[in-house]
Amino acid sequence: MIRALLFDADGVLQLPRPGAIRAFTRLGRGRPGFVRELLAEEARTMTGKVELREVLEAVVARNELTTTADELIAVWCQIDLRPQMLEVVAQARAAGLKTALATNQQPYRGAWMQQNFPYADYFDTLGYSFELGVAKPDPAFFTQIVRWIGVAPSEAVMIDDLPENIEAARSAGLHGIVNAWTDDADTLRAQLGQLGVPGFSV
């Protein structure tokens, strides 16, 4: 029986505000490859073991820019919640399921989310990669969170917008649902129902 649901944040519970890539391009003064380099370097900081500000300052220096790390971090923090998806989390808890946030975040963006979004009111466990020291798609990420929740991997479902993360969750013994950012809450409810998740059965 399914006893717990793990929810990704970006692409499932929240979305970047429109214009983020344009904002990064503007801060990069249109330098070719700047945004790609910026995002690749940020990815290295998701486990909290690489300091984001140092990474950003190095990217800025290589591109001979005057942009500051704070300006770049501010763009990453332009995020909007998807309230209808939080209603699914609330429905799961009302059905007696344990819930966990399971998200890759660098420390600055993660801290912003902790201070500004009500995730602590919806989840029994908050799994931020920068606090766990491991990030998706490493199977150890999922293993650690289900251990925190206190369920067996086979009793948990990971919900994520990236197929590679769901493949990794399944390799760790969890069930998985790919829920694209274009999918709505009713689509997710139907997916949960198809798995026979308590509170969502068709």
Side-chain angles (χ1 to χ4, degrees), residues 124-144:
D124 300 298
T125 296
L126 298 174
Y128 289 88
S129 62
F130 74 92
E131 293 180 333
L132 272 70
V134 63
K136 296 178 283 186
D138 189 328
F141 175 90
F142 309 101
T143 301
Q144 179 62 52

Side-chain angles (χ1 to χ4, degrees), residues 8 10-12 104 136-139 142 158-172 174-183 191:
D8 177 38
D10 293 295
V12 177
N104 279 358
K136 296 178 283 186
D138 189 328
F142 309 101
M158 178 68 211
I159 301 154
D160 201 293
D161 63 315
L162 298 180
E164 58 265 36
N165 289 339
I166 293 303
E167 290 177 12
R170 287 173 176 155
S171 75
L174 287 75
H175 302 273
I177 290 175
V178 177
N179 188 263
W181 69 269
T182 51
D183 292 332
Q191 292 171 310

Side-chain angles (χ1 to χ4, degrees), residues 12-186:
V12 177
L13 301 173
Q14 62 189 40
L15 295 173
R17 289 179 190 158
I21 297 300
R22 287 195 301 275
F24 281 135
T25 300
R26 185 174 63 254
L27 290 171
R29 304 295 185 267
R31 298 282 200 283
F34 173 78
V35 175
R36 187 181 304 108
E37 179 184 7
L38 182 69
L39 298 179
E41 289 296 291
E42 185 218 14
R44 298 198 301 117
T45 73
M46 293 298 175
T47 62
K49 298 174 182 177
V50 176
E51 170 53 43
L52 178 65
R53 284 185 182 279
E54 293 178 4
V55 165
L56 297 181
E57 288 166 0
V59 172
V60 167
R62 284 196 296 271
N63 286 274
E64 301 179 337
L65 299 168
T66 57
T67 302
T68 68
D70 283 339
E71 289 177 306
L72 294 168
I73 291 170
V75 176
W76 271 304
C77 294
Q78 295 175 13
I79 322 164
D80 291 320
L81 278 174
R82 302 178 73 192
Q84 72 277 18
M85 301 304 271
L86 286 178
E87 291 173 5
V88 178
V89 182
Q91 182 177 344
R93 292 187 85 181
L97 296 167
K98 294 185 177 182
T99 58
L101 182 67
T103 180
N104 279 358
Q105 299 295 335
Q106 35 93 339
Y108 296 94
R109 192 172 190 260
W112 187 93
M113 289 165 55
Q114 290 170 343
Q115 295 165 11
N116 293 275
F117 285 168
Y119 289 142
D121 297 331
Y122 285 84
F123 293 99
D124 300 298
T125 296
L126 298 174
Y128 289 88
S129 62
F130 74 92
E131 293 180 333
L132 272 70
V134 63
K136 296 178 283 186
D138 189 328
F141 175 90
F142 309 101
T143 301
Q144 179 62 52
I145 293 180
V146 294
R147 186 182 300 125
W148 279 358
I149 299 173
V151 301
S154 62
E155 297 175 317
V157 180
M158 178 68 211
I159 301 154
D160 201 293
D161 63 315
L162 298 180
E164 58 265 36
N165 289 339
I166 293 303
E167 290 177 12
R170 287 173 176 155
S171 75
L174 287 75
H175 302 273
I177 290 175
V178 177
N179 188 263
W181 69 269
T182 51
D183 292 332
D184 60 17
D186 287 337

